[in-house]
Amino acid sequence: MPTVSSTSRRVRLKEASLMRECATQRTDSTHVLAAVRDLTRLELITEAVRAVLEEVAGLAGHLLDELVDEDWARRYDRPVRLGTNPTKPKTRTLTTGNDAVRLLEHLYRHGADCTCGPSLALS
């Protein structure tokens, strides 16, 4: 596989307006760290449950027929951003945690094949 020089990458990034002239792009910049820190544990677990639901729906949607109801659809239909002061955080955390456990138990009970998702080639 041919390698791309760092100069060539910089040129492409500048052309795509992803990098300004003479600017150093750092992932430890304050605004990047602040954005990551702003994701609460509740947002992270909610996004994890949502990602699993989307994956299963794409691979074997019938497995979710008995489990997903209107409440689940409302909670996980789109990415969540709760802001700095979410309403009823303890209740939402417990609900999301219980949903995650129910989802995993349901998939285990109904024989969801662990090999049907993305696979890693280990050499």
Side-chain angles (χ1 to χ4, degrees):
M1 174 182 246
T3 60
V4 179
S5 71
S6 62
T7 305
S8 175
R9 267 182 264 157
R10 269 188 254 128
V11 169
R12 288 195 337 233
L13 289 171
K14 287 177 187 175
E15 288 172 353
S17 299
L18 296 173
M19 191 167 132
R20 289 176 283 177
E21 200 66 39
C22 299
T24 302
Q25 300 295 312
R26 297 178 51 160
T27 57
D28 64 342
S29 296
T30 305
H31 69 281
V32 173
L33 294 176
V36 170
R37 193 176 319 121
D38 283 347
L39 288 175
T40 66
R41 287 184 180 101
L42 177 55
E43 289 170 323
L44 292 173
I45 189 65
T46 303
E47 284 301 304
V49 171
R50 194 173 77 76
V52 171
L53 287 169
E54 286 182 356
E55 185 74 20
V56 172
L59 295 172
H62 65 281
L63 290 173
L64 300 177
D65 291 343
E66 297 174 19
L67 183 67
V68 176
D69 58 15
E70 287 181 31
D71 289 335
W72 279 53
R74 184 179 33 80
R75 283 194 293 270
Y76 305 111
D77 69 341
R78 62 185 181 276
V80 66
R81 281 296 285 162
L82 299 174
T84 57
N85 204 4
T87 57
K88 300 181 183 178
K90 288 183 181 180
T91 303
R92 290 175 110 175
T93 300
L94 287 173
T95 301
T96 305
N98 289 334
D99 288 350
V101 170
R102 280 185 58 208
L103 175 60
L104 292 174
E105 288 175 345
H106 180 80
L107 294 175
Y108 180 76
R109 205 173 33 253
H110 289 79
D113 187 5
C114 295
T115 62
C116 64
S119 60
L120 298 174
L122 301 175
S123 50

